[in-house]
């Protein structure tokens, strides 16, 4: 099993490129199930989850190819069943449910797996589709959905602005008869990217990026060419990399406007974040960091996917800050590993109290999920001595060529097997 070995304490300097967004590419790939004709996608990151999605599309009846960062998909004869063997490894697989119901009138999708960071139930997905006329049974670990007469437009008010639920319902509504209105919809940039892609295929979606999204159903969607947005969480991770090592990075293709909450907290801590022509410059303002209080919230609040990375940075700040996790109930599994490096973090329910210690010491650590992996890599980059990060298959689900990118700006980091 692969692991990363990091020799820390080296300030990072140079240019680093942001890849396409995993969390945008995954629903966009599932939306290819709706297309009649060929879809060509560019800026698709080469990640484990992308390869899993392409395998799933192939099983469901799409012919796909993946060359460098471009995906081509043509649906030839759709099948309704998404098997457990693939769905168990990646939660986003459940996003095939809406497209299959819309296109075939039936779907059999295994209950999803993915990172062990919380329950993340799919009941809001199912409840919304029931409003559109679908019926569901959950038997033997599968969601069995039917809508023999086709989906109908409906008014749907979500109990929580679920990202996956919003995406599934948008895709289902594109081919529904009539108009669907989603209230309390997720506002994340990745939802906007999905809606823009669907519109490029001929959908009629408006309001994306707000809490009310309207979808006028159409009879068919066609193939198109589309570029996936850059990954704001990867960009935010590299911002922290510059700050935590005391270096200076030019972050290329950075979705600056989508990172307002992250930019604000970094500046509050004493980090310069400055948009330039074609890149974002990041470095410490005066060499010192001041800890802050953070609460994770749905977009446009502080993203839960940046919580672990900011915690690593706060280990080097002055004073005590708190991080309150309001999205997932089990997203502090990185804390004990940071403590192994010398961090002073205390947990009380969903709140972590982080006291800056100024220095971490390298040690063997084990990743528990995707963003926890990133926080341990960041801590290792700044720690004295050698840090070994085990179970980095989590990291490979969300970061394209991370060790190569970091090596390119001065990090001493290498991947080894076993």
């Amino acid at each position: 099993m692969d692991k990363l070995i990091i020799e820390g304490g080296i300030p990072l300097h140079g240019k680093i490129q942001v890849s396409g967004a995993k969390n945008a590419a995954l629903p966009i790939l599932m939306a290819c199930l709706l297309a009649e004709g060929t879809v060509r996608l560019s800026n698709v990151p080469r990640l484990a989850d992308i390869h899993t999605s392409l395998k799933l599309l192939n099983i469901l009846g799409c012919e796909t190819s993946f060359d460098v960062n471009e995906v081509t998909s043509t649906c030839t004869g759709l099948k309704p069943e998404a098997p457990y063997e693939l769905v168990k490894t990646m939660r986003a697989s459940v996003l095939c449910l809406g497209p299959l119901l819309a296109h075939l009138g039936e779907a059999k999708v295994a209950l999803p797996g993915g990172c062990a960071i919380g329950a993340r139930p799919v009941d809001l997905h199912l409840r919304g589709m029931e409003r559109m006329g679908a019926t569901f049974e959950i038997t033997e670990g599968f969601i069995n959905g039917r809508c023999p007469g086709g989906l109908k437009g409906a008014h749907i008010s979500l109990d929580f602005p679920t990202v996956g639920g919003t995406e599934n319902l948008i895709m289902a509504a594109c081919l529904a008869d009539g108009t669907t209105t989603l209230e309390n919809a997720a506002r994340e940039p990745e939802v906007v990217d999905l809606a823009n892609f669907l519109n490029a295929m001929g959908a009629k979606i408006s309001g994306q990026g707000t809490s009310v999204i309207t979808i006028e159903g159409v009879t068919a969607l066609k193939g198109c060419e589309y570029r996936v947005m850059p990954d704001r969480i990867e960009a935010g991770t590299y911002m922290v990399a510059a700050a935590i090592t005391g270096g200076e990075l030019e972050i290329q293709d950075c979705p600056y406007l989508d990172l307002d909450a992250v930019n604000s907290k970094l500046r509050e801590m004493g980090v310069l974040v400055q948009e330039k022509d074609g890149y974002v410059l990041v470095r410490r303002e005066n060499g010192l960091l001041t800890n802050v209080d953070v609460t994770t919230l749905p977009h446009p609040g502080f993203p839960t996917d940046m919580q672990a990375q900011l915690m690593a940075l706060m280990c080097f700040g002055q004073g005590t800050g708190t991080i309150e996790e309001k999205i997932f109930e089990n997203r502090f599994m990185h804390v004990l590993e940071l403590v192994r490096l010398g961090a002073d973090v205390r947990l009380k329910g969903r709140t972590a109290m982080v006291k800056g210690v100024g220095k971490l010491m390298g040690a063997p650590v084990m990743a528990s999920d995707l963003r926890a992996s990133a926080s341990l890599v960041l801590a290792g980059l700044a720690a004295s001595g050698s840090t070994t990060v085990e179970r980095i298959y989590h990291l490979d689900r969300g970061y394209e060529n991370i060790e190569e990118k970091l090596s390119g700006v001065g990090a001493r980091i290498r991947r080894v097997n076993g």
Side-chain angles (χ1 to χ4, degrees):
M1 191 175 294
D2 286 1
K3 56 189 176 183
L4 291 177
I5 298 177
I6 306 166
E7 302 297 330
I10 301 169
L12 304 184
H13 290 276
K15 300 178 181 180
I16 195 163
Q17 179 70 37
V18 177
S19 297
K22 180 199 82 157
N23 288 340
L26 294 179
I28 285 173
L29 285 172
M30 293 301 105
C32 292
L33 293 166
L34 295 166
E36 296 180 6
T38 299
V39 174
R40 292 181 175 85
L41 302 173
S42 59
N43 203 36
V44 180
R46 299 192 72 86
L47 301 170
D49 280 5
I50 298 297
H51 289 288
T52 300
S53 294
L54 294 177
K55 289 179 184 177
L56 180 58
L57 288 179
N58 291 337
I59 288 172
L60 294 173
C62 289
E63 294 181 357
T64 65
S65 65
F66 195 7
D67 183 22
V68 188
N69 293 103
E70 296 185 357
V71 167
T72 300
S73 173
T74 306
C75 291
T76 52
L78 288 186
K79 302 169 187 176
E81 183 171 343
Y84 174 70
E85 288 72 22
L86 286 178
V87 176
K88 70 179 180 180
T89 65
M90 186 186 68
R91 180 173 179 78
S93 301
V94 78
L95 294 177
C96 70
L97 181 63
L100 289 175
L101 276 175
H103 219 160
L104 297 179
E106 62 175 324
K108 183 179 180 180
V109 180
L111 286 166
C115 283
I117 57 173
R120 303 198 289 184
V122 297
D123 59 318
L124 296 182
H125 303 227
L126 305 187
R127 211 177 301 160
M129 291 181 212
E130 286 174 341
R131 293 277 297 167
M132 300 169 71
T135 59
F136 295 98
E137 288 184 350
I138 298 180
T139 56
E140 299 179 342
F142 280 85
I143 303 167
N144 296 278
R146 289 187 169 276
C147 53
L151 295 172
K152 309 295 182 184
H155 186 101
I156 302 168
S157 182
L158 295 169
D159 292 342
F160 179 83
T162 161
V163 174
T166 299
E167 292 168 340
N168 232 339
L169 293 171
I170 288 174
M171 290 187 282
C174 283
L175 297 182
D177 180 16
T179 299
T180 299
T181 303
L182 296 181
E183 289 193 354
N184 199 27
R187 299 165 60 186
E188 272 71 4
E190 296 79 11
V191 174
V192 176
D193 209 36
L194 171 65
N196 291 343
F197 167 67
L198 290 165
N199 282 342
M201 291 201 298
K204 295 182 178 179
I205 304 169
S206 60
Q208 58 268 34
T210 76
S211 60
V212 180
I213 300 175
T214 302
I215 308 102
E216 297 179 39
V218 298
T219 56
L221 297 177
K222 62 183 186 301
C224 70
E225 295 185 2
Y226 192 81
R227 178 179 171 83
V228 176
M229 67 175 284
D231 195 315
R232 63 191 173 106
I233 304 303
E234 183 188 12
T237 301
Y238 296 145
M239 288 179 174
V240 173
I244 202 169
T245 64
E248 179 177 296
L249 292 178
E250 296 180 9
I251 302 173
Q252 310 285 320
D253 206 13
C254 177
Y256 178 78
L257 296 179
D258 295 331
L259 285 162
D260 274 351
V262 174
N263 296 340
S264 176
K265 285 301 175 183
L266 288 177
R267 290 187 179 116
E268 194 177 338
M269 289 187 70
V271 179
L272 172 72
V273 181
Q274 191 172 46
E275 188 178 24
K276 300 282 189 176
D277 185 18
Y279 65 92
V280 171
L281 179 69
V282 184
R283 67 168 185 266
R284 294 191 194 181
E285 284 273 29
N286 56 15
L288 299 176
L289 296 170
T290 302
N291 281 338
V292 295
D293 295 330
V294 179
T295 300
T296 65
L297 292 167
H299 192 78
F302 191 90
T304 181
D305 280 354
M306 281 298 301
Q307 175 256 106
Q309 297 92 311
L310 196 77
M311 183 182 292
L313 182 62
M314 288 171 65
C315 292
F316 293 86
Q318 295 181 322
T320 300
T322 62
I323 299 177
E324 184 179 6
E325 175 57 61
K326 285 198 168 184
I327 305 299
F328 295 123
E329 69 274 13
N330 194 25
R331 205 162 202 181
F332 283 135
M333 290 186 288
H334 50 281
V335 168
L336 291 179
E337 301 305 303
L338 288 175
V339 169
R340 285 178 52 80
L341 298 173
D344 185 348
V345 185
R346 300 182 184 183
L347 291 178
K348 186 176 182 180
R350 287 195 174 194
T351 300
M353 290 162 282
V354 187
K355 183 178 180 181
V357 293
K359 183 178 181 179
L360 298 180
M361 297 295 295
V365 290
M366 184 174 294
S368 55
D369 60 74
L370 171 55
R371 306 307 172 184
S373 305
S375 75
L376 298 178
V377 169
L378 292 169
L381 290 172
S384 299
S386 179
T387 298
T388 301
V389 183
E390 307 266 5
R391 289 170 51 173
I392 60 168
Y393 58 84
H394 292 293
L395 195 71
D396 292 337
R397 293 184 52 237
Y399 292 89
E400 182 179 34
N401 301 327
I402 187 169
E403 70 271 22
E404 294 177 18
K405 292 184 179 184
L406 290 172
S407 294
V409 291
R412 292 181 184 170
I413 179 172
R414 58 191 172 94
R415 181 183 294 249
V416 298
N417 183 263

